[in-house]
Amino acid sequence: MAALSNNTIAWPKRAVVTAGMPYGNKPLHFGHVGGVFVPADCFARFLRDRIGAENVRFISGTDCFGSPINEGYRKLVEAGEFEGDIADYVQRNHDLQKKTLDSYDISLDIYEGSGLGYCGEVHQLISEVIIQRLYESGHLQRKSTLQFYDAEAGTFLNGRQVVGRCPVQGCKSEHAYADECDLGHQYAPEDLIAPKSSLTGTTPEMRPVENWYFDLPSFAEFLRAYADGLAADPEVRSIVSNTIKEFLVPPVIYIKNEAYEEYRAIAGDLPRHSYREAEKGKASFEVEFKTIEDRDFAREVLAKAGIRFRTGKALVPFRISGNIEWGVKVPTIEGLEGLTVWCWPESLWAPMSFTMAVNDKMGLPRGSWRDFWCSDDAQVYQFIGQDNLYFYGVAQTALFEALSGTDILKPEQTDTPVRQTKLVANYHILFHDKKASSSSAVKPPTADELLDHYTAEQLRAHFLALGLDQKSVGFKPKPYDPDETKRDDPRVADPVLKEGALLTNVYNRLARSCFYEAQKNFDRLMPVGRVSEGVRERALATMNEYERIMHRVELHSIMSLMDDFIRWANKYWSDGIRTVEKEHEGDEEAARAARRQVLLDSFYLLRVVTLLMHPVVPTGAERVCDYLNFEFADFFSWNYDFDSMEELCGAAELEQGGHLVRELPPRFDFFEKHPSQLK
């Protein structure tokens, strides 16, 4: 006999789910929603059903700081397209983002901003405490580094006001900024190839500034052991451990083969290093150093000699502070004042401060955030894009290790470390077959524009089915097909509607059949009693497999599993009714008993389908529950044996032999098509 039991699966007692923090400089495009927010929302909703809503925090918010925001604001003001200060600009974009997420049924427990409202206040406080703790524990370095300065404009340039080519070996990005390219590679500003100021178009100077840096290279051994542990875990996507390991190699400089003689002439001036000739077909040879300091010294020697080079990926000090006025304030340490936190480090600990803020708003004790971030029976799941794995997999991992044992807000709990998170990294969601971003030549539709052609539930189901946990996949909405002749051709199917058809056709049919049969022949009573053994076994086997898939967070497999199960459930109904009519023709009493059993089984299947589809398409699933006349908290819970529908019913209903459902109007759709699809 099947049983709902996955003894090998252990869910945490409490969980945090994060969905990154979009910059506050623009609306959300489809990649934000389809690549991160919808998968994170699906998983957070499942956890609420599985371990209790009170034990889950789904966290995100607008990243209010960073050079993209400063630059976006500057351009709009200069063009006369925006009035108000930069806080007004961020607030406007935040409000638009929140409205979009609501349109897609993204059920965040908090969506505020790192510089807005109460969250902003808490975030400022926590940032100050964390930086102070990092300094006191010896993990911060005060360094004088070079920063781009536009002599014509008379100002230092922020990260997005300098553009050039990425200097990291093997990277072909032409959209590189001061110290980070659009593919997420980090490098020293002075290594940027062909820098230009976006303010004046001139080549900027390099002038020294002092800032705080986190000693990331000192965590190399810890990160190696951590990455090895991830690689051995079958439930961690290989892209996570592989990306971390890319940065754990010795510091290397790549020099073009034609500069070999020039290199030989100054090789004795370089720190001790290893030379490796170019591999067959490669254009550069390699020079490897023991430390990042040796590599940086070598860069200066090579630059003075006029030898062009590129650097490889390596652990470099992680910048904590910057000189932009709009940002989280850095506490004054060693007399160094007036600095703000670089947007990336503060965005890594922002989910912690947001958890504190939402718990405060819920009236929970101030230290309750530790129950979610530090307890052995808790887990943090962070949904991110592959481009951000350096920050979350490398920098954040080392930062959290450095913070372990420090007294963040509660000194008496210094023995309770911040636990490492589970990174759920998705590959790129492409627009048709090309990577799309708002800064690229391929302009993607905004998330809002897609809702002019599809319902949110059609899009949610399709995004989850794409399989971004496996590889980069193209999103190919027919209304945006590059071939205009296909857009209005009824013979060309819309790939986005494949999963939607399961909802609007098959799932609708199963639900309607149950309700209309109950209304027509059973006085609107959902029968209760023993479920047919084959039906129960199929349902429980599906639930067990569903739970295993969820534990691996392989959401595309959820859609495949549910496609099979919903179609089977619908077929069970239609075949069952046909069998009743065929085998009991003329025997009204036997026919009624047989119809009652088919309906009892089908309502049970509808219950299981609706519970499992709740994280995917919550609005339609809750509409089914509403017409079934059950409380959401009871219906959407895994805390039952799932032997029958009786466990949801009261004593009077069991005595009566049925549960009264709401009357369903004629031709009712629990899942609707978009109006544009009804032409």
Side-chain angles (χ1 to χ4, degrees):
M1 179 181 295
L4 183 59
S5 175
N6 273 321
N7 295 327
T8 60
I9 293 180
W11 292 102
K13 218 172 197 181
R14 288 168 298 279
V16 176
V17 179
T18 78
M21 295 182 66
Y23 278 130
N25 64 329
K26 55 192 171 187
L28 302 178
H29 64 69
F30 79 89
H32 289 120
V33 173
V36 177
F37 277 103
V38 167
D41 182 69
C42 176
F43 191 69
R45 287 179 180 275
F46 164 74
L47 286 177
R48 291 189 187 114
D49 292 346
R50 189 67 183 84
I51 67 174
E54 70 280 4
N55 297 316
V56 179
R57 301 289 182 271
F58 183 19
I59 304 293
S60 185
T62 300
D63 189 345
C64 298
F65 306 113
S67 53
I69 294 165
N70 290 66
E71 187 66 358
Y73 172 70
R74 181 188 67 81
K75 288 180 178 179
L76 283 184
V77 170
E78 285 186 357
E81 297 176 10
F82 188 82
E83 295 182 0
D85 62 20
I86 193 168
D88 297 327
Y89 170 71
V90 172
Q91 183 70 59
R92 182 196 70 171
N93 291 322
H94 167 79
D95 293 342
L96 291 172
Q97 292 174 358
K98 180 66 167 62
K99 184 178 179 181
T100 299
L101 294 174
D102 289 342
S103 298
Y104 279 84
D105 291 326
I106 307 300
S107 59
L108 289 151
D109 291 295
I110 191 166
Y111 191 80
E112 293 190 3
S114 54
L116 302 175
Y118 183 65
C119 262
E121 296 173 12
V122 174
H123 188 55
Q124 175 65 53
L125 170 64
I126 300 311
S127 297
E128 292 176 8
V129 171
I130 286 177
I131 291 172
Q132 191 70 44
R133 298 299 177 264
L134 290 172
Y135 174 77
E136 291 169 355
S137 56
H139 296 301
L140 290 190
Q141 302 171 337
R142 180 174 178 171
K143 296 181 64 175
S144 177
T145 58
L146 297 175
Q147 184 171 330
F148 289 109
Y149 182 85
D150 189 322
E152 184 174 317
T155 183
F156 281 102
L157 301 174
N158 67 46
R160 290 299 175 103
Q161 291 174 333
V162 184
V163 293
R165 300 198 308 275
C166 181
V168 174
Q169 177 68 12
C171 181
K172 301 185 183 302
S173 173
E174 299 288 333
H175 294 92
Y177 304 105
D179 55 6
E180 175 192 358
C181 78
D182 62 347
L183 297 180
H185 296 140
Q186 300 288 296
Y187 43 81
E190 54 266 35
D191 289 343
L192 180 66
I193 298 173
K196 293 290 182 184
S197 167
S198 63
L199 298 184
T200 63
T202 60
T203 300
E205 303 172 4
M206 300 299 294
R207 295 191 179 183
V209 294
E210 283 197 306
N211 275 298
W212 292 107
Y213 286 77
F214 174 63
D215 187 10
L216 184 57
S218 68
F219 288 85
E221 289 306 314
F222 170 78
L223 288 169
R224 287 190 182 95
Y226 178 72
D228 288 343
L230 295 181
D233 187 341
E235 292 198 348
V236 176
R237 297 172 187 174
S238 59
I239 189 176
V240 177
S241 57
N242 290 342
T243 301
I244 294 174
K245 289 181 177 181
E246 288 177 3
F247 292 90
L248 303 180
V249 296
V252 172
I253 288 177
Y254 297 85
I255 303 173
K256 291 285 189 181
N257 293 332
E258 55 264 29
Y260 176 74
E261 293 302 327
E262 290 89 338
Y263 154 73
R264 291 301 305 166
I266 54 91
D269 299 330
L270 301 178
R272 182 176 297 180
H273 61 276
S274 301
Y275 162 81
R276 284 193 295 272
E277 65 180 29
E279 297 179 5
K280 186 177 181 180
K282 298 290 185 180
S284 301
F285 60 88
E286 300 177 13
V287 183
E288 180 183 306
F289 300 88
K290 286 189 175 297
T291 68
I292 198 69
E293 290 78 15
D294 287 348
R295 190 204 70 173
D296 289 346
F297 183 85
R299 284 182 21 239
E300 296 179 12
V301 176
L302 292 167
K304 287 180 181 178
I307 300 174
R308 291 186 58 184
F309 60 87
R310 286 185 180 241
T311 54
K313 294 178 182 179
L315 291 183
V316 298
F318 185 60
R319 182 158 64 93
I320 295 294
S321 68
N323 312 87
I324 298 175
E325 182 179 351
W326 172 247
V328 175
K329 309 304 179 188
V330 174
T332 299
I333 302 175
E334 295 184 1
L336 194 56
E337 58 184 3
L339 300 178
T340 53
V341 187
W342 184 39
C343 64
W344 260 112
E346 51 95 358
S347 70
L348 296 178
W349 60 69
M352 276 192 280
S353 60
F354 277 39
T355 305
M356 297 175 197
V358 73
N359 280 8
D360 286 351
K361 291 188 173 186
M362 295 170 69
L364 298 174
R366 190 64 183 271
S368 63
W369 72 277
R370 286 183 173 274
D371 295 336
F372 290 86
W373 283 87
C374 305
S375 298
D376 289 339
D377 58 3
Q379 181 65 66
V380 178
Y381 302 86
Q382 295 194 278
F383 285 73
I384 60 174
Q386 68 177 95
D387 284 352
N388 293 331
L389 269 169
Y390 167 79
F391 297 105
Y392 288 94
V394 179
Q396 176 183 273
T397 300
L399 275 169
F400 283 10
E401 175 64 12
L403 289 170
S404 294
T406 62
D407 55 332
I408 305 175
L409 286 188
K410 298 199 77 176
E412 68 274 16
Q413 294 189 3
T414 56
D415 60 340
T416 310
V418 175
R419 300 184 71 236
Q420 295 296 340
T421 70
K422 183 169 183 177
L423 299 178
V424 185
N426 278 341
Y427 287 84
H428 294 302
I429 181 170
L430 308 176
F431 186 45
H432 292 280
D433 294 315
K434 296 181 180 179
K435 183 181 177 184
S437 72
S438 55
S439 60
S440 71
V442 182
K443 301 299 181 186
T446 67
D448 290 334
E449 289 170 341
L450 287 176
L451 294 176
D452 292 335
H453 306 279
Y454 307 98
T455 68
E457 296 196 309
Q458 288 173 331
L459 289 165
R460 285 176 64 103
H462 181 65
F463 286 142
L464 291 171
L466 285 177
L468 296 173
D469 54 324
Q470 304 290 313
K471 61 181 180 179
S472 295
V473 182
F475 173 59
K476 302 177 180 180
K478 184 179 175 183
Y480 296 92
D481 195 309
D483 185 346
E484 295 184 13
T485 62
K486 295 181 179 179
R487 295 178 190 171
D488 296 319
D489 188 341
R491 297 168 299 177
V492 177
D494 189 338
V496 177
L497 293 180
K498 178 178 181 294
E499 295 75 24
L502 178 70
L503 304 175
T504 57
N505 296 340
V506 191
Y507 193 173
N508 263 341
R509 192 180 309 128
L510 171 65
R512 283 195 300 252
S513 298
C514 290
F515 282 98
Y516 291 149
E517 174 67 16
Q519 289 173 194
K520 180 179 179 182
N521 294 312
F522 294 93
D523 300 321
R524 275 201 294 132
L525 288 178
M526 177 195 76
V528 294
R530 184 180 179 84
V531 176
S532 298
E533 196 56 40
V535 168
R536 180 177 172 276
E537 287 184 355
R538 177 67 184 257
L540 295 184
T542 299
M543 294 183 73
N544 281 320
E545 179 61 15
Y546 181 103
E547 188 176 25
R548 282 191 289 269
I549 293 170
M550 273 295 185
H551 203 263
R552 299 193 300 267
V553 202
E554 294 178 355
L555 301 181
H556 74 286
S557 296
I558 290 292
M559 291 305 302
S560 176
L561 177 73
M562 293 310 299
D563 186 280
D564 287 344
F565 184 55
I566 293 172
R567 294 183 188 280
W568 183 86
N570 185 66
K571 188 174 186 300
Y572 178 86
W573 159 262
S574 57
D575 287 352
I577 289 300
R578 279 198 297 268
T579 300
V580 168
E581 293 172 347
K582 180 179 179 181
E583 295 184 357
H584 300 286
E585 185 177 1
D587 188 341
E588 186 175 332
E589 184 176 345
R592 180 175 176 81
R595 293 183 79 93
R596 183 182 186 280
Q597 186 62 48
V598 172
L599 183 59
L600 184 155
D601 290 342
S602 297
F603 265 121
Y604 171 80
L605 290 171
L606 179 62
R607 172 203 179 180
V608 175
V609 165
T610 304
L611 171 67
L612 301 186
M613 289 298 286
H614 184 224
V616 179
V617 282
T619 298
E622 290 173 5
R623 191 176 293 125
V624 173
C625 176
D626 187 41
Y627 274 90
L628 283 171
N629 204 19
F630 289 114
E631 295 292 330
F632 287 179
D634 292 331
F635 189 84
F636 295 113
S637 170
W638 286 63
N639 293 326
Y640 291 97
D641 294 327
F642 294 93
D643 287 328
S644 70
M645 297 297 283
E646 293 182 355
E647 57 195 355
L648 290 174
C649 300
E653 292 176 315
L654 297 180
E655 185 176 342
Q656 182 181 358
H659 165 81
L660 188 66
V661 298
R662 292 179 55 195
E663 183 170 358
L664 195 69
R667 296 181 296 278
F668 186 82
D669 285 328
F670 292 96
F671 299 93
E672 299 178 342
K673 293 183 178 180
H674 190 275
S676 66
Q677 299 159 14
L678 301 177
K679 298 175 183 178

